[in-house]
Amino acid sequence: EIVLTQSPGTLSLSPGERATLSCRASQSVSSSCLAWYQQKPGQAPRLLIYGASSRATGIPDRFSGSGSGTDFTLTISRLEPEDFAVYYCQQYGSSPWTFGQGTKVEIK
Amino acid sequence: QVQLVQSGAEVKKPGASVKVSCKASGYTFTSYGISWVRQAPGQGLEWMGWISGHNGNTNYVQKVQGRATMTTDTSTSTAYMELRSLRSDDTAVYYCARFLATSGTRYYYLDVWGKGTTVTVSS
């Protein structure tokens, strides 16, 4: 099983700042089969990034993903008020699919 | 538009079973699979398994293997997840989400999610 470790656990930033979230895998994620999701309280997760770096439909270009192998990054270039949420990475390249434990981006 | 509509909240006693439904609309059901993901109160996301709407193949996480059964009814574009022998630690919000099942692993990301079904297990 591929274990995904996200860091930091919580990121305290102000609107307009840049957010950098990390997701490290215990073994290589095949074919960059890594996604990022955003979840707000009381809501279902929303797909942001798939294939490590492709933005999902309707996702603003301030969200970007990068990385390969075992190290992946989600960057939010300038935080908007609606971006404060919990972010999860997920690998879907090998079974069982697994999620990271999440990074909470909170308002400083 | 593309959507997944899940059944309502359930309250069950330990040892009982629950069956959650997920009705798809706005897309070709048999071209996609449905994955089930749960989230215990205050916790992260846990993948439970998937079923292909294309051929009915299933894949479960070991933790629920033998207790969970995922099925589909292609005539109504509905997926179901049944969980038996419920325990208190099965209390969670259960989400269904779709993935493209006919084009290989690279397309297995979860692009549309249902709103979730709360299952509470309590004596």
Side-chain angles (χ1 to χ4, degrees), chain A residues 1 30-31 33 35 37 39 42-47 49-51 88 90 92-101, chain B residues 35 37 39 43-47 49-50 59-62 95 99 105-116:
Chain A
E1 171 178 326
S30 65
S31 303
C33 292
Y37 302 88
Q39 187 179 34
Q43 296 185 17
R46 177 174 74 142
L47 176 69
I49 301 289
Y50 63 91
Y88 294 94
Q90 181 229 352
Y92 49 93
S94 61
S95 185
W97 298 355
T98 48
F99 287 91
Q101 81 279 19
Chain B
S35 185
V37 175
Q39 187 170 37
Q43 303 301 308
L45 302 172
E46 179 184 23
W47 178 73
W50 56 252
N59 184 14
Y60 301 100
V61 71
Q62 190 171 7
Y95 295 102
F99 64 96
T105 306
R106 291 179 61 191
Y107 297 90
Y108 284 7
Y109 48 86
L110 304 173
D111 67 340
V112 177
W113 292 63
K115 292 186 183 302

Side-chain angles (χ1 to χ4, degrees), chain B residues 46-87:
Chain B
E46 179 184 23
W47 178 73
M48 298 181 67
W50 56 252
I51 182 166
S52 169
H54 176 60
N55 56 21
N57 286 352
T58 54
N59 184 14
Y60 301 100
V61 71
Q62 190 171 7
K63 185 177 180 180
V64 302
Q65 185 94 38
R67 284 201 306 133
T69 301
M70 297 174 189
T71 56
T72 59
D73 180 346
T74 55
S75 69
T76 60
S77 299
T78 303
Y80 299 91
M81 191 283 298
E82 181 179 31
L83 191 60
R84 299 175 294 279
S85 302
L86 289 167
R87 309 185 291 244

Side-chain angles (χ1 to χ4, degrees), chain A residues 62-74:
Chain A
R62 63 180 182 272
F63 290 92
S64 63
S66 62
S68 63
T70 60
D71 287 296
F72 299 89
T73 300
L74 175 70

Side-chain angles (χ1 to χ4, degrees), chain A residues 22-39:
Chain A
S22 173
C23 176
R24 181 160 291 177
S26 60
Q27 52 190 285
S28 185
V29 176
S30 65
S31 303
S32 294
C33 292
L34 187 112
W36 290 91
Y37 302 88
Q38 176 194 68
Q39 187 179 34

Side-chain angles (χ1 to χ4, degrees), chain A:
Chain A
E1 171 178 326
I2 296 178
V3 176
L4 299 178
T5 302
Q6 293 186 239
S7 61
T10 302
L11 201 49
S12 298
L13 295 168
S14 301
E17 289 194 294
R18 182 184 188 89
T20 303
L21 287 66
S22 173
C23 176
R24 181 160 291 177
S26 60
Q27 52 190 285
S28 185
V29 176
S30 65
S31 303
S32 294
C33 292
L34 187 112
W36 290 91
Y37 302 88
Q38 176 194 68
Q39 187 179 34
K40 297 179 181 178
Q43 296 185 17
R46 177 174 74 142
L47 176 69
L48 299 175
I49 301 289
Y50 63 91
S53 60
S54 297
R55 267 188 304 277
T57 303
I59 301 303
D61 61 6
R62 63 180 182 272
F63 290 92
S64 63
S66 62
S68 63
T70 60
D71 287 296
F72 299 89
T73 300
L74 175 70
T75 302
I76 310 170
S77 59
R78 293 173 313 279
L79 283 164
E80 297 288 341
E82 62 267 27
D83 299 337
F84 292 92
V86 179
Y87 293 83
Y88 294 94
C89 59
Q90 181 229 352
Q91 69 81 21
Y92 49 93
S94 61
S95 185
W97 298 355
T98 48
F99 287 91
Q101 81 279 19
T103 290
K104 182 179 182 180
V105 178
E106 65 175 23
I107 300 176
K108 186 175 181 180

